[in-house]
Amino acid sequence: MTSRATSVRPTPPPGRPARRLLIGLALLLVAALTPAGATPPAQAAPSLLSQGRPATASSTENAGTPASAAVDGDAGTRWASAFSDPQWIQVDLGTRATLSQVVLSWEGAYGRAFTIQTSDDGAAWTTVHSTTAGTGGTQTVSVTGAGRYVRMHGTARGTGYGYSLWEFQVYGEAGGTAPTCGSANVAQGRPATASSVENAGLPASAAVDGNPGTRWASAAADPQWLRVDLGTVRSICRVVLTWEAAYARAFQLQTSTDGSSWTTVYGTTTGTGGSQSLAVAGSGRYLRVHGTARATAYGYSLWELAVNVTGGDAPPVEPTDPRNPNLGPNTFVFDPSTPTATIQSRLDTLFAQQERNQFGPERYAVLFKPGSYTADVNLGFFTQVAGLGMSPDDVNLNGHVRVEAFWMGGNATQNFWRAAENLSVTLPAGVSVERWAVSQAAPYRRMHLRGAQNQIQLWNGGDGWSSGGLMADTRIDGLVVSGSQQQWYSRNSEFGNGWTGSVWNMVFQGVTGAPPPHFPNPSHTVIPQTPQVREKPFLYVDGTGEYRVFVPALRTNSTGTSWYGRTPAGSSISLSQFYVVRPGAGAATINAALAQGRHLLFTPGVHHVTEPIRVDRPDTVVLGLGLATIQADNGTVAMRVADVDGVKVAGLMFEAGQVNSPVLMEVGPPGSAASHAANPTSLHDVFFRIGGPGVGRATNTLTVNSDHVIGDHMWLWRADHGDGVGWAVNTADTGLTVNGDDVTMYGLFVEHYQRYQTVWNGNGGRTYFYQNEMPYDPPNQAAWMNGATRGYAAYKVADGVSSHQAWGMGSYCYFNVNPAVVADRAIEAPTSPNVRFTNMVTVSLGGVGTINRVVNGTGGTADTANQVVYLTNYP
């Protein structure tokens, strides 16, 4: 097929149904629509659990200031205590809950020193927050803990009066039964350190090695300590000390979340030595035995330190054989000795099953070990094909790796959820065209299409439509032809014979062989370099036959691929260090593996979780095969990533369940403030879906609280077709909320949410390529109002943001339920020289609905009369 001239902007054939995303004319994105002075919505958060619950206190100032007034939701009533220390107020949540935040709204009489504590029985308390520098006013405290009862325990008043709270608010996720104290020793094998050692044969590690014949011994001096890192914050219920003859007469057991600030959970001055089993109530990542008085003239000496935690014993975590891993029944691994007929039969069977299967639970990965093969890979839904070499050129497929849209009459606007990675392709003799007719969530990543005479087409040919995709870290020796592809993002790639074609929004970043910039006619946005990016981690097999995961290094101001003609920089991790997650494992086992320091490799399938997967360790890799899907059941958050350096999450889909989740994925807890500039967390090919296979609900979808996070190709989608779809059915307010500073998004797709599609509250944010469709289904204008503003912006930069930049923004409307609906603007942002937008487009798809302005009050109207509107700069 010959390509369309770059100046031609095809229009959809008359009468073509607007299917899914850009319908027969799916398109790019961005936008915003809301008055410049409007306040951005509050970030979706876990539920307020304390309001209206029974509350008690140590005392009250008088009958008009009861404990119940602090949990009644009335900011004009308060609890006040007697004028003495200590004092407390506690609330009974009625059931055990996992807590995330406590908000204290102090009256003038505040607490200077206080703790926040939790309990399962109202008797044994665990401290989850402590301060001696309380400020009064409204204090929002992020906590990690669980319990039925929560109390503020004040130990030093800030005034001469008592303690007084207008409101005491506890946020979290309700559910779960009170835990039991497990018998598993979670300290065994964990890293241990000590203040000193008597000699090299008596190291700290000997006290946690599970061997009762080895021991730690300190220098003969006071004080001394032994510390163990449990890997993540745990609720500690018992500590067992097995002393050698040199024991402690006086010591404390202390916990810490950060290894520097310590809370004492047990203390004695009459230690007995021998074996001491001590019941405690505390939480922390670190536990320390802190000796202050020796019982002998020698140092302190422990044969073993054992730690038990609540919630029962940690589930067993299966080891991984890195040479023969169990990658599940839906992963197929081929090597050059596999008969060609066997490979092709498997590929044909998968395609026949998956060609139309966009909402089924089946997921597949097809992996090729280094070598040469003859195969025609035609990819259907939820199928990943990938090479297992260190370079794409280590695996060569003589044939095709292609995507067609014949199942939908040539319309590729629903060709989602598939991937080709880390392969080279040599087309058959006499064939010069490869077809990759896709729309969202279908990355063509780290690929090499050989042959300068060849071309790759990004649509199905003829009058077929496709509506947005990604090409990254890829080498095309020949020509890229976009045809009727409506928008596309190419990053850090190499086009030997260039690119031809343009419809609404084509963005090139760090691409050699990119066309010249000429927005809007043709609509080519060209950004010469990529400021900072890490390529997606990938699975490979080394020369000895061991499976490993390669983690590419950060690249700065880069162009071209990370691998062609060069050795990629990065680090390699043996698969023995991963827990291979197969469907049915459950969050408890996954979290136990993470607590042991393991990385995660999710195998193809749908993985149901009823509690959050908690990624707390820096540099953890979480990698999915075959578009593995994590479904949040019972209203849980699917994954929480701590505010730590260098976590990589890649190749996963997150799916909402029938019970509303407050958010599906959270990167960093609220209030995160640590700098990760040198080692940011990154998300690669991470997709989200709300509705489609059935009812799904989530208030927010992805919240980024940490600073310096990198997003590398993400699609956040509230379903517009499939099952469980409707304005009051698959409810979801917001797709992406960014609260962290210096967050960068490359290739961001956000669609169909019922309020703002994207809300950006942090400073220093950057977005390179944004594709958006507004919700198709507002029943009428009254149902979709933001105060006095018609509709919600597709891209909202909060009023208080002082610096933000975005390039290549596209937002589309298709109000097919009620075409009279109007969105006042696509992009809403403060007017500032440091808040800048470059190359924007709005489209009324088929003239069905109206976007009145592009940014704030600037730009033309996209409607029936003028369906496409461009704006090159704002302000």
Side-chain angles (χ1 to χ4, degrees):
M1 299 294 294
T2 57
S3 66
R4 298 180 186 268
T6 56
S7 61
V8 174
R9 302 183 183 282
T11 56
R16 180 183 299 281
R19 311 285 303 249
R20 172 43 241 61
L21 209 7
L22 303 6
I23 72 174
L25 19 93
L27 349 52
L28 238 171
L29 40 59
V30 338
L33 33 100
T34 273
T39 300
Q43 171 198 343
S47 300
L48 174 59
L49 304 175
S50 53
Q51 191 161 308
R53 298 298 309 165
T56 54
S58 52
S59 66
T60 58
E61 181 180 349
N62 56 57
T65 57
S68 59
V71 292
D72 62 0
D74 185 344
T77 63
R78 63 186 177 95
W79 161 72
S81 77
F83 300 176
S84 62
D85 291 310
Q87 300 290 340
W88 52 262
I89 181 172
Q90 75 180 46
V91 59
D92 177 0
L93 304 179
T95 186
R96 194 167 195 267
T98 300
L99 308 182
S100 60
Q101 194 176 84
V102 174
V103 179
L104 303 167
S105 298
W106 295 101
E107 192 246 4
Y110 68 95
R112 187 178 72 251
F114 63 88
T115 58
I116 303 296
Q117 300 175 313
T118 64
S119 175
D120 286 313
D121 57 7
W125 293 91
T126 299
T127 297
V128 295
H129 175 78
S130 178
T131 184
T132 58
T135 59
T138 298
Q139 291 183 262
T140 300
V141 179
S142 296
V143 298
T144 300
R148 172 175 172 173
Y149 301 89
V150 182
R151 78 176 177 183
M152 185 287 299
H153 187 259
T155 54
R157 291 164 290 145
T159 72
Y161 299 98
Y163 297 83
S164 183
L165 283 166
W166 294 111
E167 284 296 303
F168 178 38
Q169 296 177 312
V170 179
Y171 291 85
E173 301 165 38
T177 57
T180 58
C181 192
S183 59
N185 178 11
V186 299
Q188 187 168 317
R190 298 299 306 167
T193 54
S195 53
S196 66
V197 294
E198 182 180 343
N199 59 58
L202 302 169
S205 59
V208 293
D209 62 0
N211 183 352
T214 62
R215 64 186 175 97
W216 161 70
S218 77
D222 291 313
Q224 301 290 339
W225 52 261
L226 175 72
R227 181 180 81 172
V228 60
D229 178 0
L230 304 178
T232 188
V233 175
R234 309 296 296 268
S235 295
I236 300 168
C237 55
R238 184 186 302 112
V239 176
V240 180
L241 304 171
T242 305
W243 295 100
E244 195 246 6
Y247 67 95
R249 187 177 71 252
F251 66 92
Q252 294 93 43
L253 300 179
Q254 299 173 319
T255 62
S256 173
T257 58
D258 58 8
S260 59
S261 178
W262 295 91
T263 299
T264 297
V265 296
Y266 174 86
T268 184
T269 57
T270 56
T272 59
S275 181
Q276 294 182 268
S277 180
L278 305 172
V280 300
S283 64
R285 172 175 174 171
Y286 302 89
L287 181 123
R288 181 167 76 174
V289 182
H290 188 257
T292 55
R294 291 163 291 144
T296 72
Y298 298 98
Y300 299 84
S301 185
L302 280 166
W303 294 109
E304 283 295 305
L305 163 64
V307 179
N308 304 138
V309 296
T310 55
D313 295 343
V317 178
E318 175 186 318
T320 300
D321 179 352
R323 296 183 182 277
N324 187 31
N326 182 352
L327 301 179
N330 291 348
T331 300
F332 302 97
V333 180
F334 299 125
D335 63 47
S337 68
T338 309
T340 296
T342 300
I343 296 173
Q344 195 60 54
S345 175
R346 174 61 64 188
L347 293 169
D348 293 345
T349 298
L350 291 178
F351 178 70
Q353 175 183 310
Q354 297 300 107
E355 182 182 13
R356 299 170 178 267
N357 191 17
Q358 64 174 307
F359 294 120
E362 294 80 10
R363 308 284 189 272
Y364 296 99
V366 180
L367 310 178
F368 291 87
K369 290 185 177 181
S372 183
Y373 303 81
T374 298
D376 178 11
V377 182
N378 194 356
L379 285 176
F381 285 99
F382 289 106
T383 307
Q384 174 197 30
V385 59
L388 292 173
M390 260 298 290
S391 166
D393 288 341
D394 290 342
V395 177
N396 183 58
L397 293 187
N398 295 285
H400 293 278
V401 174
R402 60 192 173 97
V403 177
E404 315 277 7
F406 297 115
W407 70 280
M408 200 176 170
N411 182 356
T413 59
Q414 292 186 37
N415 273 1
F416 317 135
W417 304 310
R418 61 202 78 198
E421 302 179 58
N422 202 29
L423 292 160
S424 67
V425 178
T426 301
L427 297 180
V431 176
S432 61
V433 174
E434 185 76 296
R435 187 169 287 134
W436 190 256
V438 298
S439 292
Q440 285 67 39
Y444 195 82
R445 185 187 286 274
R446 197 176 166 83
M447 293 289 289
H448 184 191
L449 182 60
R450 298 172 183 260
Q453 76 283 0
N454 296 326
Q455 62 175 249
I456 184 168
Q457 297 182 350
L458 304 181
W459 90 115
N460 209 67
D463 66 352
W465 286 86
S466 47
S467 68
L470 168 90
M471 188 175 284
D473 204 21
T474 285
R475 166 81 184 182
I476 306 295
D477 289 349
L479 177 69
V480 183
V481 182
S482 62
S484 60
Q485 176 66 245
Q486 293 162 331
Q487 61 270 317
W488 191 270
Y489 178 59
S490 302
R491 181 186 59 71
N492 286 93
S493 294
E494 301 169 10
F495 303 153
N497 282 334
W499 169 290
T500 181
S502 172
V503 179
W504 289 318
N505 191 14
M506 308 298 179
V507 176
F508 308 85
Q509 184 166 17
V511 174
T512 62
H518 207 285
F519 191 91
N521 187 17
S523 56
H524 293 161
T525 299
V526 180
I527 303 156
Q529 295 181 321
T530 303
Q532 185 184 62
V533 75
R534 173 190 291 122
E535 297 296 343
K536 179 182 177 181
F538 61 90
L539 184 67
Y540 76 102
V541 177
D542 71 10
T544 71
E546 181 178 359
Y547 284 78
R548 304 181 68 86
V549 171
F550 187 76
V551 182
L554 281 174
R555 302 174 72 197
T556 302
N557 297 327
S558 59
T559 60
T561 70
S562 66
W563 56 270
Y564 186 76
R566 67 189 81 184
T567 300
S571 58
S572 178
I573 308 171
S574 171
L575 205 62
S576 64
Q577 301 302 306
F578 281 73
Y579 172 53
V580 177
V581 187
R582 296 185 294 277
T589 303
I590 294 168
N591 286 331
L594 289 166
Q596 293 177 13
R598 304 276 282 276
H599 305 277
L600 302 177
L601 180 71
F602 282 85
T603 63
V606 178
H607 303 260
H608 292 265
V609 296
T610 55
E611 62 180 280
I613 297 170
R614 299 186 181 275
V615 183
D616 295 327
R617 181 172 52 87
D619 297 311
T620 300
V621 177
V622 181
L623 178 62
L625 296 178
L627 292 94
T629 300
I630 299 172
Q631 180 167 316
D633 292 333
N634 299 333
T636 190
V637 177
M639 182 177 287
R640 295 190 189 275
V641 178
D643 189 30
V644 295
D645 277 355
V647 172
K648 297 93 182 170
V649 180
L652 290 172
M653 173 181 277
F654 291 87
E655 186 119 70
Q658 293 186 22
V659 179
N660 186 74
S661 293
V663 64
L664 292 183
M665 183 181 186
E666 182 181 71
V667 181
S672 295
S675 174
H676 308 292
N679 187 13
T681 284
S682 52
L683 313 178
H684 312 265
D685 297 341
V686 178
F687 311 130
F688 299 84
R689 186 168 68 180
I690 298 175
V695 174
R697 300 184 177 97
T699 305
N700 203 353
T701 302
L702 170 64
T703 297
V704 177
N705 293 313
S706 289
D707 295 344
H708 304 104
V709 172
I710 295 173
D712 173 28
H713 188 217
M714 294 188 295
W715 185 32
L716 293 74
W717 187 58
R718 174 183 168 259
D720 60 81
H721 66 282
D723 293 331
V725 172
W727 187 251
V729 182
N730 60 326
T731 53
D733 283 356
T734 305
L736 172 66
T737 303
V738 178
N739 297 316
D741 292 338
D742 301 305
V743 171
T744 302
M745 294 289 163
Y746 299 105
L748 176 60
F749 301 73
V750 186
E751 298 189 302
H752 305 310
Y753 288 87
Q754 294 173 292
R755 295 192 177 183
Y756 291 116
Q757 310 294 301
T758 295
V759 178
W760 209 295
N761 297 314
N763 279 312
R766 292 176 294 182
T767 295
Y768 299 94
F769 182 90
Y770 183 71
Q771 188 264 317
N772 160 260
E773 284 188 352
M774 294 177 176
Y776 285 179
D777 52 345
N780 50 58
Q781 192 70 65
W784 199 50
M785 293 290 291
N786 182 15
T789 300
R790 292 175 294 182
Y792 289 81
Y795 195 91
K796 166 68 177 176
V797 180
D799 297 343
V801 170
S802 59
S803 59
H804 188 90
Q805 295 184 74
W807 294 261
M809 311 280 286
S811 181
Y812 317 107
C813 73
Y814 181 72
F815 300 131
N816 63 345
V817 174
N818 189 335
V821 169
V822 176
D824 271 342
R825 57 187 64 88
I827 302 169
E828 180 178 319
T831 300
S832 164
N834 295 318
V835 178
R836 303 195 60 84
F837 299 89
T838 303
N839 294 357
M840 297 149 277
V841 60
T842 58
V843 183
S844 173
L845 295 171
V848 182
T850 299
I851 300 176
N852 197 44
R853 293 290 183 266
V854 179
V855 185
N856 297 336
T858 301
T861 300
D863 58 11
T864 300
N866 186 27
Q867 295 183 21
V868 182
V869 173
Y870 291 101
L871 183 64
T872 55
N873 289 287
Y874 184 88

